[in-house]
Every structure is written in C-alpha cells, then in structure tokens.
C-alpha cells in the first residue's frame, strides 16, 4: 500500500498535462510558499485557492500540506468549512503524510462529522493497527445510527487485504464505542451478522464479568424451563 501512495503522489505531480487540471501540485505549492513569504495567513491563502480551484481541491490541499506540514488539522478544518468533499480530503491519505499527520487528518475529519465512509475506506489501511479500534470507535461515536452500518462496512473493506482477521479489529472498535451496550442494543438493528455476533459476545461477556457467572450457565439460563413433573396417579 505504501507503493500505491508513492504512485499516487507522483501522479499528482504530473497533473500539469493539458486538459487534466487547471492547477498542478507544483503550482499550488509555489502559490502557498510565495504567499506565506509575503506574510499572508495560511487560512486566507487556502480559502482563496479553494475558491479559485474548487474542482481541484484535492491538489490544493496537497499543496497546502506540503507547504505547511505541521498544520494538517487547521487545513482540514478550513477545507471542511469551505465545503470540500470528503473524498478530496481522504485522498490526502494516499500522498506522503506521516503517521501523525494521517491520524490527525482522520480524527479531525471524523470529529467534524463529514461523511466518514471515504475517510475510513481510503485512510484506515495506512494507520498503525494499534490505533484502528480507537479511531473506529471515534467514528462510530460521531455517527448517527443510520450511518453506522456504512462505517463498519467501510472499515471491514479497508482492512480486508491488510490484516489476517479484519473482523476482530472491527469488533474491537465496536465494543470500544458507545453504540452497542446491553441496555442500548436498539442501535444494533440492521447490521446483520456482524452485530449479531458482537451483541451476543458483548452481552455474555458483560454479564459473566459482572456476576462472576459461567457463560455456559448463562446460556443454560436462556433455555426454556423443563416440563413440570406430574405427580403419580393415586389409587384412591
């Protein structure tokens, strides 16, 4: 996947071919550097460049990040405020961001509650696996019940070719979130087999933990009671 990021970054650099884009990455970087050298604020430059080249917003964002790599969070917030599409923001994960910048971009994007699916689908494969469940839980907590299914599907697809057991990572993120609890299980409706298994495991583990019960005993408790034993017939 890192090879893909290098290829994507090289492709962006080649966007100066006629008819492909009205601004190239090298032109965008130069614009930012020159304006910053004149004392113009990053916010003013970025808002102006997005307004002038909205159709190439992804290239503008890449140029802004390349010019001021320590300002990823501010760049993403301004882009969202200017109505830049989630796909254009997510495309930055396929450029040359380091791990800190990647996590910062994901967290800010999810916190601003833009469409989480492109961010998860295009960015989760590049972050350390140790942070996947935390960021997925954050995504779920910033989604409405109707959006959670697409968030989980996007996470599973993003991780399917990256880890041996993507289901386990997704499940860990769900169980770390506020969406599925023993008391609030109604949020789980409509997510089919994934949530069915998560719900079962969550309920059994929580009950077993709180009551010190054996899971087999809990399962037995859910079984229907035995038929009552009728008294023997009397001869009288």
């Amino acid at each position: 996947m890192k090879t893909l990021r290098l290829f994507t970054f090289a492709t962006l650099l080649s966007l100066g071919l006629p008819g492909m884009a009205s601004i190239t990455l090298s032109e965008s970087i130069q614009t930012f550097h020159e304006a910053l050298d004149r004392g113009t604020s990053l916010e003013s430059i970025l808002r102006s460049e997005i307004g002038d080249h909205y159709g190439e917003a992804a290239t503008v964002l890449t140029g802004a990040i390349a010019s001021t790599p320590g300002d990823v969070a501010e760049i993403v917030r301004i882009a969202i405020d200017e109505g830049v599409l989630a796909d254009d923001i997510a495309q930055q994960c396929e450029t040359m961001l380091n791990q800190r910048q990647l996590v910062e971009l994901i967290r800010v994007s999810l916190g601003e509650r833009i469409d989480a699916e492109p961010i998860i689908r295009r960015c989760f494969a590049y972050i350390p696996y140790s942070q996947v469940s935390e960021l997925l839980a954050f995504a779920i907590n910033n989604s409405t019940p109707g959006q959670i299914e697409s968030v989980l599907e996007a996470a599973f697809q993003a991780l399917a070719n990256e880890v041996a057991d993507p289901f386990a990572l997704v499940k860990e993120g769900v169980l770390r979130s506020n969406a599925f609890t023993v008391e609030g299980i109604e949020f789980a409706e409509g997510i089919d087999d994934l949530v069915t298994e998560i719900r079962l495991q969550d309920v059994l583990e929580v009950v077993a933990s709180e009551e010190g019960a054996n899971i087999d005993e809990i399962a037995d408790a859910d079984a229907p009671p035995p038929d009552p034993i009728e008294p023997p017939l009397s001869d009288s």
Side-chain angles (χ1 to χ4, degrees):
M1 297 300 288
K2 291 182 179 179
T3 302
L4 174 61
R5 291 174 64 190
L6 288 169
F7 175 77
T8 305
F9 190 71
T11 302
L12 286 170
L13 284 170
S14 70
L15 288 181
L17 297 176
M20 291 187 69
S22 60
I23 186 172
T24 67
L25 179 56
S26 58
E27 290 169 346
S28 180
I29 293 173
Q30 181 178 353
T31 296
F32 277 97
H33 277 311
E34 290 177 350
L36 289 168
D37 288 343
R38 291 195 300 269
T40 309
S41 69
L42 171 63
E43 180 176 357
S44 296
I45 309 166
L46 184 55
R47 290 187 187 277
S48 175
E49 287 297 290
I50 291 173
D52 291 343
H53 306 286
Y54 184 81
E56 291 80 38
T59 302
V60 171
L61 294 184
T62 306
I65 294 171
S67 301
T68 57
D71 294 316
V72 171
E74 181 182 1
I75 289 168
V76 172
R77 290 192 183 97
I78 294 169
I80 292 171
D81 189 52
E82 289 292 316
V84 172
L85 299 177
D87 263 315
D88 290 329
I89 295 172
Q91 185 173 317
Q92 306 313 306
C93 295
E94 297 167 354
T95 60
M96 297 302 294
L97 301 186
N98 59 36
Q99 288 186 352
R100 180 191 62 79
Q101 293 169 323
L102 281 165
V103 172
E104 196 169 38
L105 181 146
I106 294 168
R107 185 171 291 280
V108 171
S109 300
L110 297 176
E112 294 291 327
R113 300 198 171 190
I114 63 172
D115 184 6
E117 187 271 334
I119 303 296
I120 293 171
R121 176 169 48 82
R122 301 184 73 163
C123 299
F124 266 36
Y126 300 121
I127 60 177
Y129 301 143
S130 60
Q131 298 189 46
V132 168
S133 61
E134 177 192 349
L135 289 172
L136 179 56
F138 186 69
I140 293 170
N141 291 343
N142 283 280
S143 301
T144 64
Q147 297 172 325
I148 292 175
E149 184 170 9
S150 64
V151 165
L152 298 184
E153 289 176 353
F156 188 88
Q157 291 169 3
L159 298 168
N161 295 323
E162 302 297 322
V163 297
D165 190 357
F167 179 87
L169 270 181
V170 173
K171 182 165 64 175
E172 183 182 347
V174 171
L175 295 179
R176 292 182 67 169
S177 75
N178 299 327
F180 307 107
T181 65
V182 176
E183 294 80 13
I185 210 66
E186 66 273 8
F187 289 110
E189 296 301 326
I191 312 182
D192 304 327
D193 294 340
L194 176 68
V195 170
T196 299
E197 182 170 336
I198 290 170
R199 172 166 42 181
L200 176 63
Q201 180 170 328
D202 192 23
V203 171
L204 293 181
E205 288 180 353
V206 169
V207 173
S209 172
E210 290 181 351
E211 299 183 2
N214 184 282
I215 288 181
D216 292 334
E217 294 173 357
I218 297 170
D220 290 341
D222 292 334
D227 294 332
I229 300 175
E230 296 187 9
L233 295 175
S234 172
D235 292 337
S236 60

